[in-house]
Amino acid sequence: MDRIHQMHVFVQVVECGNFTRAAAALGLPRSTVSSAVQALEDRLGVQLLQRTTRVVRPTQEGLQFADTARDLVDAVAQAEGQYRLRPDDISGRLRIDMPSRIARRMVIPHLHEFRARFPAVMLDISATDRMIDLVSEGIDAVVRLAVLEDSELICRKIGDVPMLTCAGAEYLANYGTPLTPADLSGHQLVNYALRMPALSSEWEGRENGREVTVAMSSHLCVDNAESYVSAALHGHGLIQVPAHDVTDDIAAGRLIEVLTEYRPAPVPISILYGRRRHVAPRLTVFMDWLSNLLRDEGFAET
């Protein structure tokens, strides 16, 4: 087994957490996987893995080497992929973080389609709305409703997400329906902030093509999309969300769109990933699949 294949095996063991799962993923005998890692350690003169009866954990040296090995393995896969890489050849673990509503309503229900095309890719999906450190948290890419400038990250824009303002039917029955931004002084806004406490509580919209911002009262602040929509459904005030997120609730009459003539500007949705010389084929195919999914389902527009 050559050096690149040894590194491939080692990376697979790190990602799977033990030799048995790694062997199954690679289609190799467990003894071959163990021997490859041992040969790699002997050649490097350093212990890469701490072995117990149940799990295998990388040492500090192993963690450092795993990043380099992963880059080299991905580079070889990318180079070979220009000529002969097939869906079954794309493998490895992919760690993606995305907003909770996108994970629950879009990705998980359609994930069988991706799995059917790329069965050897293992996915770890973290569903959060906060900004994270990709390197320290071991995340390959994040999906966010924004275009972010970061010298350490590459931002791939998927499209633009139409936004709207809505509130629960019971809330509007109690407090009335705002017809213009001037009416918002008598209403509550459910605040949304990735870092609390929120610095401001503002409604944002457009009037005659011009951006309009109105300071509002708010008695509730949340930091994730699921709680945000739930707050509106339970009568805590107005929210501003992607139109696709609340299609079912609006159709059922649980939520009602307001200020339709003053809709906020669409918000870009992007995938952010680290600046590596070589992008792993598994990340490339997932980004392509997710981009097409969000556009096909009407969540994002090109």
Side-chain angles (χ1 to χ4, degrees), residues 57 127 136 187 205:
R57 293 189 177 89
S136 66
H187 287 271

Side-chain angles (χ1 to χ4, degrees), residues 150-166:
D150 189 320
S151 60
E152 300 300 319
L153 301 176
I154 294 175
C155 182
R156 171 175 166 173
K157 182 179 176 182
I158 296 174
D160 292 307
V161 178
M163 303 289 289
L164 57 77
T165 304
C166 62

